[in-house]
Each structure stands twice: as structure tokens, then as C-alpha cells.
Amino acid sequence: MSKSAVEVPPRCGFSFDLCRRNAMLSEKGVQAPSYRKTGTTIVGLVFQDGVILGADTRATEGPIVCDKNCEKIHYMAPNIYCCGAGTAADTEAVTDMVSSQLQLHRHHTGRESRVITALTLLKKHLFNYQGHVQAALVLGGVDITGPHLHTIYPHGSTDTLPFATMGSGSLAAMAIFETKYKEGLTSDEGIKLVTEAICSGIFNDLGSGSNVDVCVITKGHKEYLRNHLLPNPRTYVSPKDYSLSKKTEVLLTKITPLKEKVQVIERGDAMEE
Amino acid sequence: MSLSESNQAQHNSLLSSDSQRTLYPYVTGTSVVALKYKDGILMAADMGGSYGSTLRYKSVERMKPVGKHSLLGASGELSDFQELLRYLDELILYDNMWDDGNSLGPKEVHNYLTRVMYNRRNKFNPLWNTLVLGGVKNGQKYLGTVTMIGVHFEDNHVATGFGNHLARPILRDEWHENLSFEDGVKILEKCMRVLLYRDRSAVNKLQIAKITEEGVTISQPYSLKTFWGFSAFQNPTVGAEGSW
């Protein structure tokens, strides 16, 4: 940290200085460390009683799968959930932050949170950071005005849709939605369609994989189905356990109990008020 | 032209005789989707030729028969496709001149195209196409694809460009052996509809071609029905008037 001779008042807000340094370094050929991305398939759809969200569970660090079973459906409010794609740290941080803001807002107003409140808070934050917070979100919930489903892009733009997909597997999942979605689906049909779309992402996209998480939100009730489907079980498990050929010979066994340092007297005085 | 200005910087680094090589495509066709069915191959392609971001030509036939046994569909630069058709014409002509009762089948034509594409890419002067070659010869169905860098493979269903991302998942789910003609067309139309919704260079005027032992039939151009009546589309700001 360089010491400046002149006292400069602390600048508020995000400092973009390092962005210039990073650009200069990458021009010189220095490879930036890879982020843990959720390279993902996330989907949402509106059915007759509410909203269903779905996500896969693979988190990648470049070409490596770093988490085989991560959670991409984040809690925002009792009636609002948000799926996140993009940089894992960004999606976690931004959904946690808005979730706390919503809770404070609920205490302040005494009412159930509305989906558009979460939407506005998220889009304000993301636009403020001009796309540097790389979080692409599918926000869904049911509030007093009805079921809502929105997509939010890293730069802060939003869409209101009957069905939505985001992430690297979004095209594979969207192909399923475009062919099979219709209005007024029942809960079972909706879950089945969401599972199909996520499976399409899992099997056709390299950035998505492992299991399917589903979250069903209806008026006054929510069902978080963690690992609703496990289409990638570990099929070949060796039946033999580990066998160590050379064992160390046991010559002598001696067990010494540790002495108790503190004498506990049961009949002590009752605690003073 | 904005196309050349944006690409100039990237491509200038290579050889100096830039005007002698294909650097970027100008008039392009979008995806082609094809699958094997009971009697042969079904292929679908729309009839759009885009000039950058303009839809310049709306009646481009991107599927053509080759010889007696094959059907070629192409996406990418249309002038390179036309050049390939000339090469193939010459190939078929020389084959006919042998007059030995043999004719080049789809496997042979596919191999020829692979060699042509790969050799052109090695000279840094590619034919900017992704090709789909389907055909039937002596009861054997064949469906293969060649890309502009010479990658080639054969499969039960193939797609080019955006079709790989949008149509292949559908085909992987719904294709099975011995599809009937109607089922095959239904699946292809499903794929083309998704492409129409989600590919910006797609156009709602397509042809479906079929090739069987009897020969090639390319349908008349027609358009697909689309649905836009979702309630969220009619009223997206319900509950939040004034937002977007």
C-alpha cells in the first residue's frame, strides 16, 4: 500500500482501480485466477397455483467440478426463492444481502415481502456495479398480488416471464420449455417439466450436472425438494473394502485413564438469582 | 461496412495476402437439422440468408440433392456452399463418365467433403460452412456432418450452429429407431419452432427434405405456427404498474 504525501478524503463506493491493473496484467499475458462459477442450468416456471424453480447442483472451477452437490436455490423470503447462475460468490452474496434487506423491510412494514421488492433491490445493486457482480438470477415467488417469475441479468436488466432459463445450460432447458410449456399446469406436471428441463441441461451441457433441486412456491406454502432427482448415481462402487496387506504387529496394549482435574460436587448451592 | 471493421483487427495478424483467403462470412444461413427415420433421412432448413444482422435473402434453398443417393444441407457462407455444389457436380460427373453401373453413395460423398474442408482449412482458406450430408444406398441409411475445420462424424441425428444447442437436446430425448415419416416431421418441426423462437437469424419459412431409396423430395416452403398468448406476455407488470 503506497503512502501518499497529501491527505485524500476516503472515496465512497466501489473502487475500480484494480480493474485497470487487471486489464493491464491480462494484456501482458498474466492469467487471472479462475473463479468458482456455477456453470449452470437454472429454470423457473409459473403454474396454476404459483411458481416452480429448478436448478442443477454442479459447481465448476474452470474445467474441474469443485462441488458435486451445491445448493443453487437461495432463500430470499418465506414466499420468495432465487436461483443463481454465474460466479458463486456473487450469487451467494447478493441473494444473502437482499434477503436481509427484505427481512428488515418486513419488520418495518409488518407485511409479507413482495417479489417486485426483491426484484428492485437486486436490480439496483447489480446495475450499480455495472455488470462486475456476475450474478444471473431467476427470481420467483408468490405474494399478495399473485405468482411472479423474473430473470435478472448481471448488468441489471430484468424480464417478467411465464417460463425462464439461465446459465450455460439455458438453451438446452429452453428447448424443453418451448416445446412443452403451456399455461395452467398442475403442480405435478410443473415439477415434471422442470425436472425434464434441468435434466436436459445436465445431460447436454458440460457446465451442468449431478442432481436436480426443485422448489415449489404456492400461496402461503413452499416445498423445497433438495435433490428431488438423482440421475447420476455412483454405479460402480468397489465391493471390497480397503485391505492393507502389511499390518503393524501389536506387541503391548496399555490404557491409562486421564485423571479428572475438576471434582464435581453435586449438592452445591443453587445459583443466586 | 461494420462487419469488416470489427473483424479486421483480429485477423490482420496472420498472412499478408488477406484478400486471397476467406476471413469472415458475409451472407450466412442458419441451422440445419436432420435425423434418420424408417425409410431414410429427413432434413429441415429455413430459407433465410442473412447479411450480417440484416435478413437479406428470404428464398435461399440450403438443401440440394447430390448424385442419386445423397442430400446436402449447409449452414454458413452461402457462396462457399455454392462453390461446394460445383465441386460436387464435377465429382458426380466424373463418376458418371466411368459408366460402370456404380454410383457414389453418401459415405463416399461425405468423405470427399471432409477431405475438401480439411485441406482448405490447412491452407488457412476455409470454406465457411457446416455441412449435413444424408443419404440411402442399398438400404443403408447414412447421416453425417462436416464442419469448416474438417471435424466430421456420423450420427442418428445432427444439427449445425444453434441447432446443436437448441435442437440436439430435443432429438436426444425423442429420437428412436424406425420413426415414421409423420413422427420424424413432427420432431423436426418441434426443433425448427424452438429455433424460430430463440435464434435471431431464423426466419419463418422452411423446407423439409426427405431422401429414401427412391430419391430426393424437397417440400415446398411453408411456415410454422407460433404462440404468443401467454398471460405474462400480455400483462407483465401486473401488481407493479410502471415497472418493467
Side-chain angles (χ1 to χ4, degrees):
Chain A
M1 292 264 267
S2 58
K3 281 212 194 116
S4 52
V6 183
E7 279 299 322
V8 181
R11 286 189 301 187
C12 340
F14 196 74
S15 161
F16 283 90
D17 293 339
L18 289 179
C19 295
R20 224 180 305 144
R21 177 208 75 161
N22 291 343
M24 188 267 293
L25 281 173
S26 60
E27 253 176 70
K28 296 240 168 111
V30 175
Q31 290 240 5
S34 65
Y35 308 112
R36 176 166 168 257
K37 299 196 83 182
T38 46
T40 294
T41 308
I42 48 172
V43 305
L45 60 74
V46 176
F47 72 112
Q48 71 186 26
D49 303 320
V51 168
I52 306 180
L53 299 173
D56 75 305
T57 60
R58 173 182 285 184
T60 52
E61 224 167 54
I64 304 168
V65 177
C66 57
D67 190 347
K68 290 187 283 188
N69 208 359
C70 70
E71 282 191 22
K72 300 188 191 179
I73 305 187
H74 309 284
Y75 169 89
M76 297 287 259
N79 59 327
I80 306 175
Y81 273 76
C82 185
C83 309
T87 307
D90 287 337
T91 59
E92 290 275 349
V94 97
T95 48
D96 272 352
M97 184 192 80
V98 172
S99 174
S100 334
Q101 287 178 343
L102 285 176
Q103 190 172 37
L104 287 171
H105 193 248
R106 276 202 295 284
H107 287 306
H108 189 76
T109 57
R111 292 180 170 81
E112 187 188 59
S113 298
R114 299 193 187 191
V115 182
I116 45 163
T117 317
L119 180 74
T120 312
L121 290 167
L122 285 165
K123 96 159 74 162
K124 260 184 65 168
H125 182 82
L126 291 175
F127 181 75
N128 206 20
Y129 284 85
Q130 288 293 295
H132 288 285
V133 176
Q134 284 172 352
L137 310 165
V138 171
L139 174 73
V142 181
D143 56 32
I144 192 73
T145 54
H148 297 277
L149 178 70
H150 303 279
T151 53
I152 309 164
Y153 288 84
H155 285 266
S157 64
T158 60
D159 291 308
T160 312
L161 298 165
F163 55 91
T165 66
M166 296 282 261
S168 56
S170 62
L171 284 95
M174 187 50 89
I176 302 296
F177 272 173
E178 286 282 14
T179 45
K180 297 192 180 158
Y181 179 80
K182 49 187 205 303
E183 301 224 88
L185 291 165
T186 64
S187 170
D188 288 327
E189 289 173 342
I191 295 178
K192 187 160 162 295
L193 185 58
V194 162
T195 315
E196 258 188 73
I198 298 291
C199 281
S200 174
I202 287 174
F203 293 116
N204 292 304
D205 173 46
L206 297 174
S208 315
S210 301
N211 318 120
V212 182
D213 285 351
V214 178
C215 185
V216 186
I217 310 171
T218 52
K219 193 169 166 58
H221 177 68
K222 63 151 189 286
E223 234 184 301
Y224 182 46
L225 304 165
R226 167 78 172 145
N227 285 356
H228 173 68
L229 187 69
L230 298 111
N232 290 303
R234 202 169 152 214
T235 34
Y236 304 108
V237 186
S238 168
K240 293 188 293 192
D241 205 351
Y242 288 111
S243 62
L244 303 158
S245 46
K246 260 198 193 165
K247 285 205 173 104
T248 321
E249 235 182 278
V250 178
L251 294 174
L252 169 68
T253 311
K254 181 177 168 197
I255 302 172
T256 314
L258 294 169
K259 239 201 287 202
E260 278 199 8
K261 286 205 157 165
V262 178
Q263 292 278 351
V264 181
I265 308 166
E266 268 309 326
R267 55 146 200 88
D269 293 336
M271 246 172 69
E272 285 182 27
E273 284 294 317
Chain B
M1 221 204 335
S2 55
L3 262 178
S4 47
E5 276 162 332
S6 56
N7 284 311
Q8 208 70 44
Q10 303 170 30
H11 296 271
N12 254 337
S13 47
L14 286 171
L15 315 171
S16 54
S17 52
D18 280 1
S19 57
Q20 312 290 336
R21 320 179 286 121
T22 307
L23 292 175
Y24 22 78
Y26 286 88
V27 184
T28 53
T30 180
S31 343
V32 177
V33 190
L35 48 75
K36 277 191 195 164
Y37 79 110
K38 185 164 51 102
D39 306 322
I41 312 287
L42 277 171
M43 201 185 291
D46 67 23
M47 302 191 74
S50 316
Y51 186 60
S53 53
T54 337
L55 219 204
R56 181 86 167 74
Y57 303 102
K58 296 201 266 195
S59 298
V60 180
E61 281 204 25
R62 295 194 289 116
M63 297 182 293
K64 294 282 184 185
V66 175
K68 279 199 287 214
H69 305 282
S70 323
L71 174 65
L72 175 68
S75 71
E77 171 63 59
L78 290 176
S79 63
D80 284 343
F81 175 50
Q82 288 164 352
E83 188 68 8
L84 269 167
L85 289 174
R86 295 190 62 170
Y87 288 162
L88 287 169
D89 256 347
E90 198 184 328
L91 179 77
I92 301 290
L93 180 69
Y94 277 119
D95 184 51
N96 287 338
M97 291 205 301
W98 284 106
D99 200 17
D100 55 3
N102 271 325
S103 48
L104 287 173
K107 226 182 270 230
E108 290 83 54
V109 178
H110 186 225
N111 188 53
Y112 174 77
L113 286 170
T114 309
R115 294 292 101 225
V116 169
M117 302 296 270
Y118 185 66
N119 276 300
R120 287 290 294 259
R121 93 113 207 216
N122 282 340
K123 293 190 236 173
F124 281 94
N125 186 16
L127 287 161
W128 210 285
N129 294 108
T130 310
L131 306 167
V132 174
L133 200 294
V136 192
K137 186 174 174 198
N138 298 333
Q140 292 273 34
K141 302 185 282 245
Y142 186 87
L143 179 61
T145 180
V146 194
T147 60
M148 72 186 235
I149 53 173
V151 173
H152 66 285
F153 54 89
E154 65 151 314
D155 204 346
N156 293 321
H157 45 78
V158 294
T160 68
F162 250 102
N164 272 312
H165 296 107
L166 290 167
R168 271 338 265 290
I170 302 176
L171 291 165
R172 281 183 179 155
D173 265 350
E174 307 205 0
W175 186 88
H176 58 86
E177 286 275 5
N178 295 324
L179 279 166
S180 71
F181 175 71
E182 289 78 27
D183 284 339
V185 172
K186 244 200 270 178
I187 298 180
L188 278 182
E189 284 192 346
K190 234 190 252 199
C191 296
M192 296 306 283
R193 186 171 292 114
V194 180
L195 284 166
L196 175 63
Y197 284 137
R198 298 284 166 175
D199 179 5
R200 87 164 192 179
S201 36
V203 76
N204 197 1
K205 184 175 172 193
L206 67 141
Q207 288 178 306
I208 295 205
K210 108 171 133 87
I211 179 163
T212 59
E213 195 74 56
E214 282 88 51
V216 173
T217 333
I218 306 184
S219 75
Q220 284 299 320
Y222 68 102
S223 57
L224 294 168
K225 277 215 228 14
T226 55
F227 178 71
W228 299 91
F230 295 114
S231 55
F233 289 167
Q234 319 292 15
N235 211 358
T237 58
V238 68
E241 318 310 327
S243 76
W244 71 96

